[in-house]
Amino acid sequence: MENKDFERKDIIGWGIDANPLDVPSYPMKLRNENDNKGMTWERPSQQLAQVEILTSNERPTITAVFGTPNPPSGLSGKIRRYAFKFSESSYGHWLPLLLADRVNMIEGVVDDFKRGHFPNIFSELGGKSELKHNPKGFARKVLVGLAITAAIVMVCRRDNDDEDDEY
Amino acid sequence: MLAMNYRGPYRVRADQKPMPEIQHPGDAIVRVTRSCICGSDLHLYHGLVPDTRVGTTFGHEFIGVVEEIGSDVENLKVGDNVLVPFNIACGKCIFCQQGLYGNCHESNPQATAVGGIFGYSHTAGGFDGGQAEYVRVPYADVGPMVIPDDMDHDDAVLLTDVVPTGYQAAEMGAIKPGDTVVVFGAGPVGLMAAKSAWLFGAGRVIVIDHIEYRLEFAKRFAQCEAYNFRSLEDVVLFIKKTTDYIGADVCIDAVGCEAAGNAMQTITGRKLMLQAGSATALHWAINSVKKGGVVSIVGVYGPTDNLVPIGNVVNKGITIRANQASVKRLLPRLIEHVRAGRLNPKEMITHRVPLEEVSDAYHIFSAKLDNCIKTILIPSSANK
């Protein structure tokens, strides 16, 4: 559809930058004849998907290559599949993915136990280096942790006492 | 093979994982000889990047030796020492053809906003990264480059991300001779941005951070002014005053979504994760640049809106240019700068850690312990 209210040639200077191969921008974009023509390039050969690959709904097809480690699985995988029903501009996409990541963390611990591996959380958190380079900070964290644990225990006990009083 | 293994926020370990295999005729398998922990890896480490799956191996800054090549690979041969740009780029799509290798449209099925990146969650294509003994390198004919014989490998590994990113941050600032350039963040990228700003003709370079040892390092490394925002009442006001109340010509955000300095942003963005990180550095950059100035962003931000003062951007007519660095486009010039001694990236390396100790390496870097600036991980298989 074209606006017939005016003739473009009557607009002084119109078209001075119309040649897409001659755009004086910084830094100079390497324009080529395929600009503004959509997905017109000669595509690389396609990697075969041996595992489930979730694909953004803002693409017509899967990309020619992709990473295959850690395909979606379990509850986190279900949440991820749900997330990919939404576009990248939607909270419905990103928030479920963040939730899936937290669920996946718990699944990871369960998987470790299943494989007979008891995760050394202290080591995974870099506890040794904290102890070596920041002993005061380490002590503070331990004390805060103990205080929070003690508070939780006390609250739980008080709740139990209240329940006992009901009978 | 041994590889870094992400288990959840703040939890990583070195584990045995299956060897990577050729999955596409353009692939290569590279035996890693050095990899770095990048500031961007900390966003993953802290659990801020969506779709970071347990079991992922991080690491997008690495060099190594080509061990195996796919049938389509012509530019590399087994035994080549290569530096591998962090972008995975096909070289054929319209974005690669424009030199936008950080925006390849054929390497990341999960998201269109960013191209594939090694070891940077499934939001960046789901590829395992180089904090491992071996790594699969897709499109091996396009990105990887044989390391020149006269180049120190410590410099080479930094040319895969941190140097080009810092350099492009300055380049995107469209710095004119005499400009005042303010760099937010004195991490490795901020340091390289400050150093590069001089190459573009800056008349004054100011670095803002809150960690004293990093500021001292910045003064020495980039010969710039460096200020601790904790000792300033108001960082934006300070920049206005020190620029004769005009504002800086160029502001560079080299921090991203984990910026300190604003309690509300820290609580909502970093601690409670109610928004995709903290936008403090971006606020400061937008608010301290002059009208008509340029804000250049290379800090990583989450995928959702982050309370950016976009109204100020419009009212002040600020130009914002941001991107992942297009490493391949920049490499020839950067190598020239390194060769001539104008850039000296390896001076940033403060820690060399065996891959087995990856948990402690991450914690030291994340918690800013032991005056850490840049960490290199070295697998035991590096010297095969």
Side-chain angles (χ1 to χ4, degrees):
Chain A
M1 202 166 161
E2 204 178 341
N3 188 331
K4 298 288 185 189
D5 293 344
F6 60 87
E7 290 290 337
R8 284 175 177 160
K9 62 177 171 45
D10 295 338
I11 300 170
I12 294 168
W14 192 91
I16 199 163
D17 57 354
N19 180 356
L21 304 184
D22 184 22
V23 180
S25 58
Y26 177 88
M28 189 70 75
K29 279 176 78 184
L30 296 171
R31 307 295 296 241
N32 63 62
E33 65 280 4
N34 289 329
D35 280 356
N36 313 319
K37 289 184 183 171
M39 294 180 71
T40 54
W41 57 89
E42 179 202 346
R43 297 195 64 201
S45 54
Q46 182 64 55
Q47 178 185 341
L48 297 176
Q50 311 276 20
V51 294
E52 183 185 5
I53 304 293
L54 299 172
T55 303
S56 166
N57 62 4
E58 295 183 35
R59 298 188 53 86
T61 56
I62 196 168
T63 49
V65 305
F66 41 83
T68 53
N70 313 305
S73 63
L75 177 60
S76 65
K78 284 182 179 160
I79 301 169
R80 292 189 209 284
R81 286 181 202 108
Y82 169 80
F84 273 82
K85 291 177 179 171
F86 297 87
S87 83
E88 293 164 56
S89 63
S90 164
Y91 284 105
H93 181 72
W94 299 114
L95 294 180
L97 284 176
L98 280 170
L99 173 66
D101 290 347
R102 301 298 168 261
V103 171
N104 196 196
M105 181 180 73
I106 297 160
E107 289 171 335
V109 174
V110 173
D111 280 350
D112 274 345
F113 282 125
K114 275 184 183 169
R115 290 187 298 111
H117 176 86
F118 188 81
N120 183 341
I121 306 284
F122 177 77
S123 165
E124 288 175 358
L125 290 167
K128 203 171 64 174
S129 55
E130 178 75 8
L131 204 52
K132 182 180 174 185
H133 298 294
N134 189 21
K136 281 182 185 168
F138 181 80
R140 195 167 52 240
K141 282 174 190 163
V142 169
L143 288 172
V144 168
L146 286 172
I148 291 170
T149 308
I152 291 168
V153 168
M154 281 173 69
V155 168
C156 291
R157 275 189 175 175
R158 203 175 58 189
D159 286 350
N160 286 338
D161 291 346
D162 290 347
E163 284 173 19
D164 292 345
D165 292 345
E166 288 174 18
Y167 296 99
Chain B
M1 66 158 186
L2 194 70
M4 175 269 192
N5 184 344
Y6 171 76
R7 307 307 299 169
Y10 295 90
R11 288 177 50 220
V12 300
R13 66 187 187 221
D15 263 347
Q16 287 297 322
K17 290 180 80 172
M19 281 283 287
E21 294 172 350
I22 301 276
Q23 298 186 40
H24 180 272
D27 286 357
I29 303 298
V30 167
R31 175 168 53 84
V32 177
T33 53
R34 278 173 182 76
S35 67
C36 297
I37 301 177
C38 175
S40 310
D41 287 329
L42 296 183
H43 308 317
L44 298 165
Y45 178 67
H46 297 156
L48 285 168
V49 180
D51 217 356
T52 305
R53 300 180 191 175
V54 166
T56 301
T57 295
F58 300 166
H60 54 267
E61 296 180 291
F62 62 91
I63 58 172
V65 180
V66 177
E67 290 281 310
E68 193 183 346
I69 53 173
S71 55
D72 285 355
V73 177
E74 293 173 350
N75 298 338
L76 300 180
K77 60 185 188 302
V78 171
D80 278 346
N81 269 297
V82 287
L83 71 85
V84 181
F86 75 95
N87 332 105
I88 298 170
C90 71
K92 292 185 172 183
C93 70
I94 47 170
F95 303 109
C96 286
Q97 284 175 25
Q98 286 178 195
L100 297 168
Y101 296 99
N103 306 99
C104 176
H105 215 61
E106 289 284 13
S107 56
N108 178 8
Q110 279 89 1
T112 55
V114 66
I117 299 173
F118 289 98
Y120 211 78
S121 85
H122 276 68
T123 296
F127 299 91
D128 265 347
Q131 289 167 12
E133 290 184 299
Y134 295 86
V135 60
R136 172 198 168 207
V137 177
Y139 300 135
D141 258 351
V142 181
M145 188 186 119
V146 176
I147 300 170
D149 290 339
D150 62 338
M151 175 163 280
D152 188 310
H153 283 203
D154 284 351
D155 280 331
V157 73
L158 297 175
L159 281 168
T160 60
D161 175 10
V162 60
V163 180
T165 300
Y167 185 87
Q168 186 170 302
E171 180 189 61
M172 292 194 302
I175 297 166
K176 296 175 296 301
D179 275 356
T180 296
V181 179
V182 177
V183 181
F184 292 96
V189 168
L191 292 169
M192 287 315 305
K195 189 103 179 154
S196 300
W198 294 118
L199 295 175
F200 287 95
R204 190 179 175 195
V205 180
I206 299 168
V207 170
I208 304 286
D209 200 284
H210 67 119
I211 311 249
E212 272 310 319
Y213 79 81
R214 297 208 315 179
L215 290 162
E216 287 307 313
F217 192 94
K219 284 179 199 170
R220 281 197 317 272
F221 180 79
Q223 300 89 43
C224 59
E225 299 168 51
Y227 299 99
N228 189 330
F229 66 73
R230 301 242 184 251
S231 60
L232 302 170
E233 194 179 340
D234 180 331
V235 67
V236 174
L237 186 61
F238 168 78
I239 291 166
K240 288 285 168 65
K241 282 181 175 174
T242 196
T243 54
D244 201 19
Y245 291 93
I246 292 292
D249 299 288
V250 179
C251 281
I252 294 171
D253 170 2
V255 183
C257 63
E258 297 203 64
N262 179 298
M264 187 59 77
Q265 290 275 354
T266 298
I267 291 165
T268 59
R270 293 166 62 202
K271 302 299 181 194
L272 299 177
M273 294 189 192
L274 296 175
Q275 50 169 335
S278 148
T280 306
L282 191 50
H283 278 242
W284 286 351
I286 289 168
N287 293 334
S288 31
V289 80
K290 72 177 184 185
K291 295 167 191 169
V294 179
V295 170
S296 166
I297 307 163
V298 288
V300 173
Y301 283 93
T304 46
D305 287 336
N306 234 16
L307 305 179
V308 175
I310 199 74
N312 288 358
V313 176
V314 176
N315 290 339
K316 293 171 74 173
I318 297 167
T319 303
I320 293 184
R321 302 191 64 239
N323 208 336
Q324 300 284 358
S326 289
V327 177
K328 188 179 173 68
R329 178 174 63 84
L330 296 166
L331 274 176
R333 186 173 299 174
L334 292 172
I335 286 169
E336 192 186 312
H337 283 316
V338 171
R339 275 195 175 131
R342 291 187 289 265
L343 292 177
N344 48 346
K346 66 174 179 282
E347 284 183 22
M348 294 191 297
I349 298 168
T350 51
H351 289 67
R352 290 169 184 277
V353 183
L355 181 60
E356 288 81 353
E357 295 172 25
V358 68
S359 314
D360 289 316
Y362 262 90
H363 180 68
I364 287 169
F365 189 44
S366 167
K368 315 284 187 294
L369 301 176
D370 199 30
N371 293 344
C372 179
I373 298 285
K374 190 71 180 171
T375 303
I376 286 204
L377 296 169
I378 302 179
S380 55
S381 57
N383 301 318
K384 254 187 184 176

